[in-house]
Each structure stands twice: as structure tokens, then as C-alpha cells.
Amino acid sequence: MMTIQDAIAARHSVRAYTTEPIPQELRSQLDACAMECSKEGNVHIFIRYDDPDGFDSRLAHYGNFKNVNNYIVLAGKKDKDFDLRCGYYGEKLVLYAQQLGLNTCWVALTFNKRKVKEILPDGESLCMVIALGYGETQGTAHKGKTAGDVSVGTDVPDWFTEGVNAALLAPTAINQQKFQFTYRDGEVHLNSKGIGTCLQTDLGIVKYHFEAVTGKTVIVD
């Protein structure tokens, strides 16, 4: 299995999928990871297989999605850290899927939200979903910001720069990358910058990238 660093480098958003089903062996592994993420993050993460209804909508077609028959659902009890935790643990599952040879795409709007909400237990809120399957392609990288654009600090250690570079490869809503890492007194702080959409979910995603590569704790301000 590829390393987490390799998975981060290889992962790109994919919207068009083949009709090849996900094998039962991989489903079992993915479900086990989803259950682990749900427990650790106090959220409800689960996977819908062979269910095209979640992307059967005009919005999905507008978003150029094709053959999305499997998707990850990020849900749970809404609180102030809900979106951040969904981002963190959703990305943990995304990178595990990448390690298993699958492709993904985070989706905030262009899916059939009504259909997905119908399958949620009473009292749970929906954060977003993640398309899952075998991509027609592996996706492509998009031009983004530099480490200097999203981090500040003096006499930063090499691991800090490595973590920031890993975070720059994380998916964010419309590739906005509106986050900033600060190295201060040996600690790493993370906060959002400016106005944008899905900022807390983005923070969770980039936090996971940084921590997964460096093993260091990131404090979200």
C-alpha cells in the first residue's frame, strides 16, 4: 500500500467514474475505516454503495459528475466543531481510499441533497458528501498558493515546512486555500483567512494533511 505522503501527492478531485463496482474486500476495509473515523471524531461517516440516487439531479449534471454510484456521507450531531471534524475525518477516509486505488471528490452543493438527507437518522445534520469510485482518469493538479502565502513564523523547523506543503495539496472549496499556519513558540496554529465557503471543513482537511505527514499537533484558533 502506498504511504500517506504518496496518497496526498496522488489524490486529485475526480468527477467522472467508470461503472466498475468496488469489490467487497475493499468495501469491508472502507467501512471499517469509516466506523473508526466516526468513533474518533464523534461524527457519523458512512458509505453508500451502488446508489446513483445521491447524484441524480440537475445540480450533479451541472457539476459534470458521471457514474457516481458510490459516495461517502458526512453527518452527525451539529455543534460548533462539527464541520471541522467532518473535514478532518472525511479526509482521513479519502486518503485511505486513495491508498486502496480509488478516487474521490469532495462535494458541497452539486449532489441530490434531498435524497441524501432522507437516509440520515433523525436528529442528524448533513455536512457534505464525497464521490467515490474508480475514476475515468486520476484527475489533474490545480495551480495553488505557495508555502509563503499560507504560513508565517521565524526559524521554522523543516517539519513545519513539510507539513505546510502537504496542506497545500489538500482539497479546499473552489480551490480557495483560505487558511494560514503559524509557527509560534514551538507550536503550530491554524486559522482561516478572509471570507469564503466551507472554511471550517477546509480547516479540518488541511489539519489532517499536516498532522498525518508530520505527526505534530495543530491547534485550530
Side-chain angles (χ1 to χ4, degrees):
M1 182 180 289
M2 68 174 68
T3 67
I4 193 69
Q5 290 92 340
D6 289 339
I8 287 173
R11 186 224 61 84
H12 304 298
S13 295
V14 172
R15 293 172 178 253
Y17 295 83
T18 71
T19 57
E20 180 181 355
I22 298 174
Q24 186 57 52
E25 179 183 359
L26 295 194
R27 296 186 187 202
S28 298
Q29 295 175 28
L30 289 165
D31 288 340
C33 184
M35 289 180 63
E36 177 184 298
C37 288
S38 296
K39 183 177 180 180
E40 289 180 5
N42 191 27
V43 290
H44 184 199
I45 299 176
F46 61 97
I47 304 170
R48 296 283 290 186
Y49 300 101
D50 309 317
D51 178 15
D53 287 350
F55 279 77
D56 182 17
S57 69
R58 288 183 180 179
L59 281 175
H61 294 304
Y62 175 77
N64 294 319
F65 285 99
K66 176 184 175 184
N67 292 329
V68 182
N69 297 317
N70 316 285
Y71 55 94
I72 300 165
V73 180
L74 307 176
K77 303 293 185 180
K78 186 82 171 180
D79 61 25
K80 70 181 184 67
D81 293 326
F82 171 67
D83 292 331
L84 188 142
R85 295 197 313 274
C86 283
Y88 187 94
Y89 288 99
E91 186 65 5
K92 180 176 181 177
L93 183 54
V94 159
L95 292 177
Y96 184 61
Q98 187 74 40
Q99 289 176 306
L100 294 177
L102 296 165
N103 302 102
T104 53
C105 183
W106 283 81
V107 190
L109 295 174
T110 49
F111 64 99
N112 194 325
K113 188 172 290 187
R114 180 182 61 83
K115 289 281 189 180
V116 176
K117 283 186 174 181
E118 287 177 354
I119 64 177
L120 295 183
D122 290 342
E124 288 195 355
S125 297
L126 176 65
C127 176
M128 59 180 68
V129 302
I130 303 168
L132 173 69
Y134 292 102
E136 288 188 349
T137 71
Q138 293 301 304
T140 57
H142 297 282
K143 185 177 180 179
K145 297 179 180 180
T146 68
D149 294 328
V150 300
S151 65
V152 294
T154 56
D155 298 322
V156 300
D158 290 341
W159 60 259
F160 177 79
T161 303
E162 183 181 8
V164 171
N165 286 330
L168 284 168
L169 296 176
T172 58
I174 56 175
N175 199 35
Q176 59 191 347
Q177 296 185 310
K178 291 186 176 181
F179 58 85
Q180 180 174 277
F181 286 94
T182 303
Y183 181 76
R184 183 170 65 244
D185 299 327
E187 294 182 336
V188 181
H189 294 260
L190 172 64
N191 64 282
S192 58
K193 299 289 289 183
I195 298 173
T197 184
C198 305
L199 291 180
Q200 287 299 302
T201 307
D202 286 354
L203 287 185
I205 295 171
V206 300
K207 172 180 164 71
Y208 183 74
H209 274 228
F210 191 104
E211 292 187 348
V213 167
T214 67
K216 306 293 184 178
T217 298
V218 174
I219 301 167
V220 178
D221 296 325

